[in-house]
Amino acid sequence: MRDSDTRAFYHCVGIGVGPANLSLASLLYNHSDISNLFLDKRDSFDWHDGQQLPNASLQVSMLKDLVSLADPTNKFSFLSYLHSNGRIYHYINAQFDTMPRREFRNYLKWASDLNKNIVYGERVIGIDFDDTFVVRTDRRSVRAANLSIGIGSRPWVPTIAANVLGESQFHVSEIVRRAQRLGGKRVCVVGGGQSGAEAVLDLISRHETERPRRVSWVTRRRNYFPLDDSPFTNDFYMPSHSDYFSTLERSTRQEFNEQHILTSDGISEATLRELYQRIYVHRFVDGLPDLTALYPNREVTDVVRGNCDDWTLRVSNKNHHGTIGHIDADVIIWATGFRPAAMDFLDPIAHRLDREGDEFKIDNQFAVQWDGPADRNIFLHNAAAQQRGLPDRNLSLIAWRSQRVVDRLRGMRSDEQLASFLEWSAKLAPEDVAKVVRR
């Protein structure tokens, strides 16, 4: 360890450089009074690169970029990216209904490359605290008044698949690399969200020499449901609702997330429409009635290796009292989502951090509540859906959340946008207000 490293001090050190911390780094870039450093263990920027299928599109507005909803004039906006690359008119003329996901990935990389406060190839090993946080990496140690943790999520598969992953069973996050040479094979995709739909669409859209012989699609949901992207539903993805949600009882928050999961994890209608049309053409025009097999309302209960290096999925049909059926496949793609990544580097101070269920408990500016000084904060991104709702784990509120962090660091409060049209909180009658005051 070099002495110069041990003396290095920053007002804020970020751990992880996905969209969340990249948003914060972008908003902090012009605040020279707040020294900052953002570290990522990967060698270079990566945003679901292993899952960037050719025709995948973003499910949110282009305005929900790193900075625009907090600072429309910021140099790291998506419009600035288009303009600096000389193609802003071309983008307008293209008239995309939704932004190509690979374009958004390229925008994020552009913002990352432009920011001199971001360092790749440096893994944080542990964090201690005396009067400041001591961040130990595999290269050095630095001190920080505040931390911002945005390490994202990790692929999740059910226990029955965890020990058999490889070339013939893998998570959808690896589909670009592993889903090659599938011509003539039987492929089963498990998972009824957008990722599963995109995987199925990609497989059945391939040239006939590269297309699987059969593509099965299994989901626990009762059907392949669309994303609920209607105007009033999108009020759930406004700052005012996030603040309201955080005040609810824990059981109410949990029930809300479960009931409204399709506002976040449904399938875009454009993807569903294209899928249905592809299946129609294959079945009725091309004469391929067995290419696609759809199995909604099914639960995969076990996966067993067959006699010819293939797999048998045992599935229960929830409409028929758990009747067990089976699906044979040469390759299984698990589109079963993600879970927050482990934060083992916090272990040295974890006993000082408050928890709520399996999450660290945060305040209204996304700082973990703990027994340390009030001016030493650990900000948390994308790891508090139980406290902040479904928007916590997607792109909708990252700029607003980052601005809340910037405000805390600067000791100020930015002007908030107007509240929702919808009245979320109950308004007390005058006599009830008086009772509350007397208490």
Side-chain angles (χ1 to χ4, degrees), residues 321-438:
H321 308 290
T323 301
I324 300 296
H326 73 276
I327 300 170
D328 295 323
D330 301 300
V331 174
I332 302 174
I333 301 175
W334 295 94
T336 43
F338 297 81
R339 299 291 186 274
M343 292 177 269
D344 298 338
F345 49 81
L346 286 176
D347 286 351
I349 60 172
H351 62 285
R352 305 184 62 178
L353 312 181
D354 293 347
R355 300 192 71 92
E356 181 173 303
D358 57 0
E359 296 178 348
F360 290 116
K361 189 173 183 179
I362 60 173
D363 63 21
N364 65 358
Q365 289 180 301
F366 300 91
V368 177
Q369 298 184 21
W370 72 311
D371 64 3
D375 61 345
R376 298 292 185 256
N377 301 289
I378 305 172
F379 299 105
L380 198 60
H381 304 266
N382 297 349
Q386 296 171 17
Q387 299 168 73
R388 278 286 171 172
L390 298 169
D392 185 71
R393 63 191 189 193
N394 69 20
L395 296 170
S396 292
L397 294 178
I398 61 170
W400 166 76
R401 180 176 60 206
S402 294
Q403 187 61 54
R404 279 268 174 107
V405 174
V406 173
D407 287 352
R408 179 79 153 255
L409 294 175
R410 300 185 67 202
M412 60 174 292
R413 186 67 180 263
S414 298
D415 293 335
E416 295 281 2
Q417 295 296 302
L418 297 176
S420 166
F421 294 150
L422 306 176
E423 295 283 355
W424 298 115
S425 299
K427 288 189 175 180
L428 298 177
E431 59 271 20
D432 293 325
V433 173
K435 292 177 183 178
V436 172
V437 171
R438 286 197 295 271

